Amino acid sequence: MRHIPVIVVAGTHSGCGKTTLASGLMAALAARGLAVQPFKVGPDFIDPTHHSAICGRTSRNLDPFMMGEAGVRETFVRASAGADIAVVEGAMGLFDGLEGTDTASTAHVAKILDAPVLLVVDAGGASRSVHAMIRGYAGFDSAVRVAGAIFNRIGSPRHLAMIEETKSLPIYGGIPRRTDLVVESRHLGLAMAAETGMMARFGAVVEETCDLPGLIDLARSAPPLPAPAEAPARPESGVRIGVANDAAFCFYYVDNIDRLVRAGAELIFFSPMTDRLPDVDALYLGGGYPELHAEALSSSRCREDLRRAADDGMPVYAECGGLIYLTERLATDEGDYPMAGVLPAAAEMTGRIQALGYVEARVVGTAPILAPGSAFRGHEYHYSRLDCARDARFALELLRGRGIDGGRDGLTAQNAVGQYTHAYFPEGFAERLVEAAGAYRRT
């Protein structure tokens, strides 16, 4: 068993300030010299970049739909090794889960970890009424330990004093309304951490206005969790897998990266915008913002290197932004840009969401990195659409989700697969990709 002090920062609803508060709490704890392990509930790629920059430790996703309950516990305990405290940022409202259920909600994760919940409440325009809200959240599910509250958008000390006249749950602070600390957003969410350091500045606000010693004690009230079994390390395979890693391709589940390493791969990180294709045996192209960097991607010699490698039979696995990069061209408001030309399709950015939600996929086509009949889960969120060739082949049938073409995903050509689904790798997937890379290397 391992005792890991942990606190789950949950919101009453989206937009109440939980990302700001969670990031500020992480920064304040780190400023006190604590090793803080950050986590994010759900499939979000952007908030974890802010966590990682603040804490100096890689933030992990905790998603029961994609990972299963055992997977959530295993990732939490394994990633928290060596940390003094863990902070889990929730998603949406505390009880908002899959299709109106508890599944994959912040409450679900809190129950899996048996962790205390700190409720972030937007107090703008209210005083005593916030306690009715708090009591509703605290009593909605007896298995969820809503242990305290922090109020956001406090207008003045008098405003906070009026709220404190009534007691519902322990109050750990009141965050004043701040218009000078704002993180810009774009179509897929907040700006990435590399583009702004604003989130870290909330640490001083939390230090000044919140009861940090009390929050640390609250986190210590979490009970121990079972230690995960140590997976035997596989010998190095000699396989090198290239992983696109720059401003255009930056959406990855860290557990997927770890699984490739445990499967024996050496990972070579590179930028398709500025680098030539490295000497590798397979490629992993994650999601991100290729539409914001289309000119650089189209002018880089890497796309020609990639097309030749794919034509030669190199295994290529691409998700969302990586899928767009593998198409023949990308149309944006700024122009029409040639892409790598590996997959028989053209991509176009649109002005509205084309798909958003969880995905369940089953392999129905033939591809060396996808085991026939296997299944996996993931998430899709994109504003682009693809116009595929009439004879295009798809490797995935979606039991849930939209994909590329109304329930089909995994466009294939040669040994390349591109899909809108950001998959959480199931057991055996990383090993299969390494084996396919090894077979290509031998030829």
Side-chain angles (χ1 to χ4, degrees):
M1 302 290 284
R2 291 185 188 172
H3 181 241
I4 303 164
V6 56
I7 194 164
V8 175
V9 179
T12 54
H13 61 281
S14 293
C16 69
K18 67 179 175 296
T19 298
T20 299
L21 190 282
S23 299
L25 178 58
M26 293 172 191
L29 293 169
R32 289 195 171 203
L34 297 178
V36 183
Q37 175 56 48
F39 295 94
K40 172 66 181 180
V41 173
D44 186 283
F45 290 108
I46 298 174
D47 290 353
T49 68
H50 295 279
H51 302 168
S52 300
I54 290 167
C55 299
R57 294 173 66 102
T58 302
S59 183
R60 306 280 179 141
N61 295 85
L62 299 176
D63 191 305
F65 176 83
M66 297 194 299
M67 307 165 69
E69 293 188 355
V72 167
R73 279 189 292 268
E74 179 180 351
T75 290
F76 175 80
V77 175
R78 192 184 303 278
S80 296
D84 298 312
I85 189 170
V87 177
V88 181
E89 181 194 338
M92 301 177 65
L94 173 57
F95 298 105
D96 296 326
L98 177 64
E99 294 183 350
T101 70
D102 177 65
T103 300
S105 67
T106 302
H108 190 184
V109 171
K111 287 188 283 189
I112 293 169
L113 302 179
D114 200 7
V117 173
L118 178 67
L119 188 66
V120 180
V121 180
D122 184 349
S127 58
R128 189 168 182 262
S129 296
V130 299
H131 294 284
M133 187 186 309
I134 292 171
R135 287 174 177 170
Y137 276 84
F140 185 74
D141 185 343
S142 61
V144 179
R145 182 158 60 103
V146 181
I150 282 184
F151 299 103
N152 192 30
R153 300 189 179 98
I154 294 295
S156 66
R158 182 172 178 271
H159 182 197
L160 182 59
M162 291 168 63
I163 291 173
E164 290 175 333
E165 279 294 315
T166 302
K167 302 296 182 185
S168 49
L169 287 177
I171 297 173
Y172 287 93
I175 307 295
R177 184 181 291 111
R178 295 290 295 266
T179 58
D180 57 325
L181 299 178
V182 177
V183 179
E184 297 297 328
S185 297
R186 59 166 67 95
H187 54 286
L188 295 182
L190 295 175
M192 302 289 285
E195 301 169 289
T196 174
M198 190 67 74
M199 281 296 186
R201 294 174 58 186
F202 287 105
V205 178
V206 170
E207 175 71 46
E208 180 181 349
T209 61
C210 298
D211 178 12
L212 277 183
L215 289 171
I216 292 171
D217 287 342
L218 179 60
R220 288 172 176 161
S221 71
L225 293 172
E230 292 297 326
R234 292 186 55 151
E236 292 186 6
S237 63
V239 163
R240 293 159 56 94
I241 296 180
V243 180
N245 184 36
D246 57 19
F249 306 102
C250 45
F251 292 171
Y252 295 96
Y253 296 127
V254 182
D255 283 359
N256 289 351
I257 298 295
D258 289 348
R259 289 187 176 192
L260 290 173
V261 173
R262 288 201 297 270
E266 177 187 1
L267 302 186
I268 308 299
F269 296 94
F270 73 104
S271 170
M273 290 194 294
T274 59
D275 300 331
R276 298 294 296 269
L277 186 69
D279 178 17
V280 294
D281 310 303
L283 287 173
Y284 180 15
L285 306 173
Y289 296 103
E291 66 275 16
L292 300 182
H293 306 279
E295 184 173 358
L297 289 169
S298 65
S299 61
S300 171
R301 295 179 65 183
C302 186
R303 69 180 182 85
E304 298 166 346
D305 295 341
L306 196 161
R307 181 169 60 248
R308 285 193 292 268
D311 288 343
D312 191 46
M314 177 183 286
V316 181
Y317 174 70
E319 296 176 332
C320 203
L323 161 68
I324 290 174
Y325 184 51
L326 291 185
T327 64
E328 294 168 353
R329 67 181 188 276
L330 168 60
T332 72
D333 289 341
E334 285 69 42
D336 197 317
Y337 301 92
M339 294 285 106
V342 173
L343 299 177
E348 177 188 9
M349 297 304 301
T350 71
R352 60 186 179 88
I353 294 174
Q354 298 296 311
L356 171 61
Y358 284 114
V359 172
E360 292 183 80
R362 181 167 62 93
V363 178
V364 295
T366 302
I369 59 176
L370 300 176
S374 64
F376 58 80
R377 291 181 168 188
H379 188 264
E380 61 180 349
Y381 182 19
H382 57 92
Y383 280 69
S384 63
R385 68 177 185 85
L386 261 59
D387 181 15
C388 301
R390 298 179 67 177
D391 60 349
R393 295 181 292 115
F394 298 89
L396 301 178
E397 175 185 67
L398 301 190
L399 308 178
R400 175 192 300 275
R402 176 175 173 77
I404 293 173
D405 182 23
R408 295 189 297 176
D409 208 355
L411 186 61
T412 67
Q414 294 89 35
N415 289 332
V417 177
Q419 59 198 46
Y420 270 126
T421 302
H422 289 281
Y424 187 86
F425 289 176
E427 291 297 325
F429 179 87
E431 290 76 10
R432 190 173 181 90
L433 179 56
V434 170
E435 290 169 4
Y440 173 74
R441 183 181 185 87
R442 288 190 293 273
T443 60

mmCIF file of all heavy atoms in Angstrom, residues 51-89:
data_model
loop_
_atom_site.group_PDB
_atom_site.id
_atom_site.type_symbol
_atom_site.label_atom_id
_atom_site.label_comp_id
_atom_site.label_asym_id
_atom_site.label_seq_id
_atom_site.Cartn_x
_atom_site.Cartn_y
_atom_site.Cartn_z
ATOM 1 N N HIS A 51 -0.024 22.236 -16.161
ATOM 2 C CA HIS A 51 0.369 21.531 -14.934
ATOM 3 C C HIS A 51 1.847 21.156 -14.963
ATOM 4 O O HIS A 51 2.582 21.359 -13.987
ATOM 5 C CB HIS A 51 -0.437 20.242 -14.774
ATOM 6 C CG HIS A 51 -1.915 20.418 -14.722
ATOM 7 N ND1 HIS A 51 -2.788 19.348 -14.834
ATOM 8 C CD2 HIS A 51 -2.693 21.519 -14.573
ATOM 9 C CE1 HIS A 51 -4.028 19.785 -14.746
ATOM 10 N NE2 HIS A 51 -4.000 21.105 -14.600
ATOM 11 N N SER A 52 2.264 20.553 -16.069
ATOM 12 C CA SER A 52 3.640 20.062 -16.175
ATOM 13 C C SER A 52 4.640 21.206 -16.072
ATOM 14 O O SER A 52 5.676 21.082 -15.410
ATOM 15 C CB SER A 52 3.835 19.312 -17.498
ATOM 16 O OG SER A 52 2.950 18.201 -17.583
ATOM 17 N N ALA A 53 4.332 22.330 -16.718
ATOM 18 C CA ALA A 53 5.231 23.483 -16.672
ATOM 19 C C ALA A 53 5.334 24.037 -15.256
ATOM 20 O O ALA A 53 6.412 24.455 -14.816
ATOM 21 C CB ALA A 53 4.735 24.565 -17.634
ATOM 22 N N ILE A 54 4.228 24.031 -14.534
ATOM 23 C CA ILE A 54 4.212 24.568 -13.178
ATOM 24 C C ILE A 54 4.941 23.650 -12.207
ATOM 25 O O ILE A 54 5.739 24.107 -11.376
ATOM 26 C CB ILE A 54 2.756 24.784 -12.710
ATOM 27 C CG1 ILE A 54 2.118 25.941 -13.479
ATOM 28 C CG2 ILE A 54 2.693 25.039 -11.211
ATOM 29 C CD1 ILE A 54 0.612 26.026 -13.307
ATOM 30 N N CYS A 55 4.683 22.360 -12.292
ATOM 31 C CA CYS A 55 5.164 21.406 -11.288
ATOM 32 C C CYS A 55 6.537 20.813 -11.595
ATOM 33 O O CYS A 55 7.185 20.280 -10.693
ATOM 34 C CB CYS A 55 4.157 20.268 -11.127
ATOM 35 S SG CYS A 55 2.516 20.797 -10.576
ATOM 36 N N GLY A 56 6.950 20.865 -12.855
ATOM 37 C CA GLY A 56 8.201 20.204 -13.209
ATOM 38 C C GLY A 56 8.081 18.695 -13.202
ATOM 39 O O GLY A 56 9.083 17.975 -13.204
ATOM 40 N N ARG A 57 6.872 18.183 -13.157
ATOM 41 C CA ARG A 57 6.565 16.755 -13.256
ATOM 42 C C ARG A 57 5.460 16.604 -14.290
ATOM 43 O O ARG A 57 4.537 17.419 -14.355
ATOM 44 C CB ARG A 57 6.118 16.173 -11.917
ATOM 45 C CG ARG A 57 7.190 16.163 -10.837
ATOM 46 C CD ARG A 57 6.610 15.735 -9.496
ATOM 47 N NE ARG A 57 6.152 14.363 -9.492
ATOM 48 C CZ ARG A 57 6.826 13.341 -8.957
ATOM 49 N NH1 ARG A 57 8.013 13.551 -8.376
ATOM 50 N NH2 ARG A 57 6.339 12.118 -8.976
ATOM 51 N N THR A 58 5.525 15.547 -15.092
ATOM 52 C CA THR A 58 4.585 15.380 -16.190
ATOM 53 C C THR A 58 3.193 15.080 -15.681
ATOM 54 O O THR A 58 2.980 14.142 -14.913
ATOM 55 C CB THR A 58 5.048 14.238 -17.114
ATOM 56 O OG1 THR A 58 6.356 14.529 -17.596
ATOM 57 C CG2 THR A 58 4.110 14.089 -18.293
ATOM 58 N N SER A 59 2.227 15.880 -16.118
ATOM 59 C CA SER A 59 0.837 15.665 -15.753
ATOM 60 C C SER A 59 0.276 14.474 -16.524
ATOM 61 O O SER A 59 0.593 14.270 -17.706
ATOM 62 C CB SER A 59 0.010 16.917 -16.047
ATOM 63 O OG SER A 59 -1.328 16.761 -15.632
ATOM 64 N N ARG A 60 -0.584 13.717 -15.858
ATOM 65 C CA ARG A 60 -1.180 12.529 -16.467
ATOM 66 C C ARG A 60 -2.697 12.660 -16.532
ATOM 67 O O ARG A 60 -3.309 13.279 -15.672
ATOM 68 C CB ARG A 60 -0.852 11.285 -15.631
ATOM 69 C CG ARG A 60 0.628 11.071 -15.364
ATOM 70 C CD ARG A 60 1.296 10.450 -16.551
ATOM 71 N NE ARG A 60 2.723 10.255 -16.322
ATOM 72 C CZ ARG A 60 3.408 9.189 -16.729
ATOM 73 N NH1 ARG A 60 2.788 8.217 -17.366
ATOM 74 N NH2 ARG A 60 4.694 9.100 -16.508
ATOM 75 N N ASN A 61 -3.284 12.028 -17.532
ATOM 76 C CA ASN A 61 -4.736 11.952 -17.635
ATOM 77 C C ASN A 61 -5.252 10.790 -16.796
ATOM 78 O O ASN A 61 -4.633 9.723 -16.750
ATOM 79 C CB ASN A 61 -5.157 11.752 -19.088
ATOM 80 C CG ASN A 61 -4.809 12.925 -19.964
ATOM 81 O OD1 ASN A 61 -3.689 13.027 -20.466
ATOM 82 N ND2 ASN A 61 -5.745 13.825 -20.153
ATOM 83 N N LEU A 62 -6.380 11.009 -16.153
ATOM 84 C CA LEU A 62 -7.094 9.965 -15.426
ATOM 85 C C LEU A 62 -8.495 9.892 -16.017
ATOM 86 O O LEU A 62 -9.311 10.778 -15.790
ATOM 87 C CB LEU A 62 -7.154 10.281 -13.929
ATOM 88 C CG LEU A 62 -5.806 10.405 -13.202
ATOM 89 C CD1 LEU A 62 -6.039 10.811 -11.748
ATOM 90 C CD2 LEU A 62 -5.010 9.107 -13.275
ATOM 91 N N ASP A 63 -8.755 8.847 -16.796
ATOM 92 C CA ASP A 63 -10.022 8.755 -17.520
ATOM 93 C C ASP A 63 -10.562 7.329 -17.409
ATOM 94 O O ASP A 63 -10.075 6.422 -18.093
ATOM 95 C CB ASP A 63 -9.825 9.139 -18.981
ATOM 96 C CG ASP A 63 -11.138 9.314 -19.719
ATOM 97 O OD1 ASP A 63 -11.947 8.374 -19.702
ATOM 98 O OD2 ASP A 63 -11.367 10.385 -20.295
ATOM 99 N N PRO A 64 -11.555 7.095 -16.553
ATOM 100 C CA PRO A 64 -12.051 5.729 -16.374
ATOM 101 C C PRO A 64 -12.651 5.113 -17.627
ATOM 102 O O PRO A 64 -12.588 3.887 -17.791
ATOM 103 C CB PRO A 64 -13.128 5.883 -15.280
ATOM 104 C CG PRO A 64 -12.769 7.138 -14.569
ATOM 105 C CD PRO A 64 -12.169 8.042 -15.606
ATOM 106 N N PHE A 65 -13.224 5.924 -18.512
ATOM 107 C CA PHE A 65 -13.789 5.358 -19.741
ATOM 108 C C PHE A 65 -12.693 4.748 -20.598
ATOM 109 O O PHE A 65 -12.840 3.637 -21.112
ATOM 110 C CB PHE A 65 -14.542 6.427 -20.538
ATOM 111 C CG PHE A 65 -15.060 5.924 -21.862
ATOM 112 C CD1 PHE A 65 -16.258 5.235 -21.930
ATOM 113 C CD2 PHE A 65 -14.355 6.132 -23.038
ATOM 114 C CE1 PHE A 65 -16.742 4.749 -23.139
ATOM 115 C CE2 PHE A 65 -14.825 5.658 -24.256
ATOM 116 C CZ PHE A 65 -16.022 4.965 -24.305
ATOM 117 N N MET A 66 -11.601 5.456 -20.778
ATOM 118 C CA MET A 66 -10.529 4.975 -21.642
ATOM 119 C C MET A 66 -9.624 3.976 -20.934
ATOM 120 O O MET A 66 -9.145 3.015 -21.547
ATOM 121 C CB MET A 66 -9.695 6.156 -22.159
ATOM 122 C CG MET A 66 -10.461 7.121 -23.030
ATOM 123 S SD MET A 66 -9.404 8.271 -23.944
ATOM 124 C CE MET A 66 -8.581 9.155 -22.632
ATOM 125 N N MET A 67 -9.368 4.196 -19.629
ATOM 126 C CA MET A 67 -8.354 3.436 -18.910
ATOM 127 C C MET A 67 -8.919 2.313 -18.052
ATOM 128 O O MET A 67 -8.186 1.391 -17.693
ATOM 129 C CB MET A 67 -7.559 4.385 -18.000
ATOM 130 C CG MET A 67 -6.984 5.587 -18.702
ATOM 131 S SD MET A 67 -6.439 6.889 -17.562
ATOM 132 C CE MET A 67 -5.040 6.129 -16.780
ATOM 133 N N GLY A 68 -10.199 2.407 -17.694
ATOM 134 C CA GLY A 68 -10.762 1.502 -16.711
ATOM 135 C C GLY A 68 -10.376 1.949 -15.307
ATOM 136 O O GLY A 68 -9.418 2.691 -15.118
ATOM 137 N N GLU A 69 -11.124 1.494 -14.311
ATOM 138 C CA GLU A 69 -10.857 1.923 -12.947
ATOM 139 C C GLU A 69 -9.490 1.461 -12.466
ATOM 140 O O GLU A 69 -8.756 2.221 -11.812
ATOM 141 C CB GLU A 69 -11.959 1.422 -12.016
ATOM 142 C CG GLU A 69 -13.312 2.066 -12.283
ATOM 143 C CD GLU A 69 -14.353 1.704 -11.242
ATOM 144 O OE1 GLU A 69 -14.049 0.874 -10.352
ATOM 145 O OE2 GLU A 69 -15.475 2.257 -11.301
ATOM 146 N N ALA A 70 -9.123 0.231 -12.780
ATOM 147 C CA ALA A 70 -7.811 -0.270 -12.376
ATOM 148 C C ALA A 70 -6.700 0.531 -13.037
ATOM 149 O O ALA A 70 -5.658 0.806 -12.414
ATOM 150 C CB ALA A 70 -7.677 -1.753 -12.722
ATOM 151 N N GLY A 71 -6.905 0.931 -14.287
ATOM 152 C CA GLY A 71 -5.911 1.734 -14.984
ATOM 153 C C GLY A 71 -5.741 3.102 -14.360
ATOM 154 O O GLY A 71 -4.623 3.636 -14.297
ATOM 155 N N VAL A 72 -6.841 3.699 -13.884
ATOM 156 C CA VAL A 72 -6.759 4.995 -13.210
ATOM 157 C C VAL A 72 -5.912 4.872 -11.946
ATOM 158 O O VAL A 72 -5.014 5.682 -11.693
ATOM 159 C CB VAL A 72 -8.170 5.524 -12.872
ATOM 160 C CG1 VAL A 72 -8.092 6.694 -11.902
ATOM 161 C CG2 VAL A 72 -8.894 5.942 -14.142
ATOM 162 N N ARG A 73 -6.194 3.854 -11.134
ATOM 163 C CA ARG A 73 -5.420 3.671 -9.898
ATOM 164 C C ARG A 73 -3.955 3.406 -10.196
ATOM 165 O O ARG A 73 -3.057 3.948 -9.540
ATOM 166 C CB ARG A 73 -6.017 2.525 -9.080
ATOM 167 C CG ARG A 73 -7.224 2.905 -8.245
ATOM 168 C CD ARG A 73 -7.604 1.785 -7.299
ATOM 169 N NE ARG A 73 -8.108 0.629 -8.021
ATOM 170 C CZ ARG A 73 -9.392 0.422 -8.300
ATOM 171 N NH1 ARG A 73 -10.301 1.300 -7.905
ATOM 172 N NH2 ARG A 73 -9.775 -0.651 -8.962
ATOM 173 N N GLU A 74 -3.692 2.563 -11.193
ATOM 174 C CA GLU A 74 -2.305 2.220 -11.510
ATOM 175 C C GLU A 74 -1.524 3.442 -11.972
ATOM 176 O O GLU A 74 -0.402 3.691 -11.510
ATOM 177 C CB GLU A 74 -2.250 1.134 -12.586
ATOM 178 C CG GLU A 74 -0.838 0.748 -12.974
ATOM 179 C CD GLU A 74 -0.796 -0.329 -14.038
ATOM 180 O OE1 GLU A 74 -1.850 -0.903 -14.365
ATOM 181 O OE2 GLU A 74 0.315 -0.588 -14.549
ATOM 182 N N THR A 75 -2.100 4.215 -12.892
ATOM 183 C CA THR A 75 -1.421 5.419 -13.371
ATOM 184 C C THR A 75 -1.211 6.411 -12.233
ATOM 185 O O THR A 75 -0.131 7.008 -12.111
ATOM 186 C CB THR A 75 -2.219 6.069 -14.510
ATOM 187 O OG1 THR A 75 -2.138 5.247 -15.677
ATOM 188 C CG2 THR A 75 -1.677 7.451 -14.858
ATOM 189 N N PHE A 76 -2.211 6.577 -11.394
ATOM 190 C CA PHE A 76 -2.095 7.528 -10.285
ATOM 191 C C PHE A 76 -0.966 7.135 -9.333
ATOM 192 O O PHE A 76 -0.110 7.966 -8.993
ATOM 193 C CB PHE A 76 -3.416 7.612 -9.521
ATOM 194 C CG PHE A 76 -3.339 8.483 -8.303
ATOM 195 C CD1 PHE A 76 -3.424 9.860 -8.416
ATOM 196 C CD2 PHE A 76 -3.155 7.929 -7.039
ATOM 197 C CE1 PHE A 76 -3.333 10.673 -7.294
ATOM 198 C CE2 PHE A 76 -3.064 8.731 -5.914
ATOM 199 C CZ PHE A 76 -3.155 10.105 -6.045
ATOM 200 N N VAL A 77 -0.946 5.895 -8.917
ATOM 201 C CA VAL A 77 0.063 5.468 -7.942
ATOM 202 C C VAL A 77 1.451 5.468 -8.564
ATOM 203 O O VAL A 77 2.426 5.929 -7.962
ATOM 204 C CB VAL A 77 -0.290 4.076 -7.380
ATOM 205 C CG1 VAL A 77 0.815 3.572 -6.463
ATOM 206 C CG2 VAL A 77 -1.615 4.128 -6.621
ATOM 207 N N ARG A 78 1.551 4.971 -9.793
ATOM 208 C CA ARG A 78 2.869 4.895 -10.433
ATOM 209 C C ARG A 78 3.444 6.292 -10.678
ATOM 210 O O ARG A 78 4.617 6.556 -10.399
ATOM 211 C CB ARG A 78 2.753 4.140 -11.756
ATOM 212 C CG ARG A 78 4.097 3.739 -12.362
ATOM 213 C CD ARG A 78 3.904 3.072 -13.722
ATOM 214 N NE ARG A 78 3.030 1.917 -13.646
ATOM 215 C CZ ARG A 78 3.421 0.711 -13.268
ATOM 216 N NH1 ARG A 78 4.681 0.507 -12.915
ATOM 217 N NH2 ARG A 78 2.564 -0.305 -13.232
ATOM 218 N N ALA A 79 2.616 7.208 -11.159
ATOM 219 C CA ALA A 79 3.110 8.552 -11.482
ATOM 220 C C ALA A 79 3.410 9.364 -10.228
ATOM 221 O O ALA A 79 4.207 10.304 -10.284
ATOM 222 C CB ALA A 79 2.086 9.288 -12.347
ATOM 223 N N SER A 80 2.791 9.021 -9.114
ATOM 224 C CA SER A 80 2.975 9.789 -7.880
ATOM 225 C C SER A 80 4.204 9.384 -7.088
ATOM 226 O O SER A 80 4.484 9.991 -6.043
ATOM 227 C CB SER A 80 1.732 9.652 -6.992
ATOM 228 O OG SER A 80 0.597 10.208 -7.614
ATOM 229 N N ALA A 81 4.930 8.387 -7.554
ATOM 230 C CA ALA A 81 6.124 7.945 -6.841
ATOM 231 C C ALA A 81 7.093 9.114 -6.679
ATOM 232 O O ALA A 81 7.411 9.815 -7.645
ATOM 233 C CB ALA A 81 6.804 6.804 -7.596
ATOM 234 N N GLY A 82 7.527 9.361 -5.456
ATOM 235 C CA GLY A 82 8.470 10.435 -5.185
ATOM 236 C C GLY A 82 7.848 11.796 -4.972
ATOM 237 O O GLY A 82 8.559 12.762 -4.676
ATOM 238 N N ALA A 83 6.522 11.893 -5.111
ATOM 239 C CA ALA A 83 5.846 13.184 -4.919
ATOM 240 C C ALA A 83 5.440 13.353 -3.457
ATOM 241 O O ALA A 83 5.175 12.377 -2.751
ATOM 242 C CB ALA A 83 4.624 13.280 -5.813
ATOM 243 N N ASP A 84 5.366 14.593 -3.009
ATOM 244 C CA ASP A 84 4.889 14.905 -1.665
ATOM 245 C C ASP A 84 3.375 15.023 -1.610
ATOM 246 O O ASP A 84 2.762 14.777 -0.577
ATOM 247 C CB ASP A 84 5.513 16.220 -1.174
ATOM 248 C CG ASP A 84 7.021 16.154 -1.080
ATOM 249 O OD1 ASP A 84 7.537 15.172 -0.510
ATOM 250 O OD2 ASP A 84 7.679 17.081 -1.600
ATOM 251 N N ILE A 85 2.781 15.418 -2.725
ATOM 252 C CA ILE A 85 1.341 15.633 -2.781
ATOM 253 C C ILE A 85 0.895 15.558 -4.234
ATOM 254 O O ILE A 85 1.655 15.892 -5.144
ATOM 255 C CB ILE A 85 0.970 17.005 -2.158
ATOM 256 C CG1 ILE A 85 -0.540 17.163 -1.992
ATOM 257 C CG2 ILE A 85 1.553 18.152 -2.982
ATOM 258 C CD1 ILE A 85 -0.934 18.379 -1.161
ATOM 259 N N ALA A 86 -0.328 15.096 -4.457
ATOM 260 C CA ALA A 86 -0.908 15.041 -5.799
ATOM 261 C C ALA A 86 -2.121 15.961 -5.855
ATOM 262 O O ALA A 86 -2.914 16.020 -4.910
ATOM 263 C CB ALA A 86 -1.315 13.620 -6.157
ATOM 264 N N VAL A 87 -2.245 16.674 -6.973
ATOM 265 C CA VAL A 87 -3.397 17.538 -7.207
ATOM 266 C C VAL A 87 -4.052 17.088 -8.500
ATOM 267 O O VAL A 87 -3.402 17.033 -9.551
ATOM 268 C CB VAL A 87 -2.999 19.020 -7.291
ATOM 269 C CG1 VAL A 87 -4.220 19.881 -7.599
ATOM 270 C CG2 VAL A 87 -2.344 19.480 -5.990
ATOM 271 N N VAL A 88 -5.345 16.760 -8.427
ATOM 272 C CA VAL A 88 -6.101 16.287 -9.585
ATOM 273 C C VAL A 88 -7.080 17.369 -9.993
ATOM 274 O O VAL A 88 -7.984 17.728 -9.217
ATOM 275 C CB VAL A 88 -6.864 14.989 -9.252
ATOM 276 C CG1 VAL A 88 -7.631 14.495 -10.479
ATOM 277 C CG2 VAL A 88 -5.917 13.912 -8.732
ATOM 278 N N GLU A 89 -6.914 17.909 -11.197
ATOM 279 C CA GLU A 89 -7.893 18.871 -11.703
ATOM 280 C C GLU A 89 -9.050 18.126 -12.353
ATOM 281 O O GLU A 89 -8.848 17.268 -13.217
ATOM 282 C CB GLU A 89 -7.276 19.829 -12.720
ATOM 283 C CG GLU A 89 -8.291 20.856 -13.229
ATOM 284 C CD GLU A 89 -7.859 21.609 -14.464
ATOM 285 O OE1 GLU A 89 -6.649 21.678 -14.740
ATOM 286 O OE2 GLU A 89 -8.751 22.139 -15.168
#
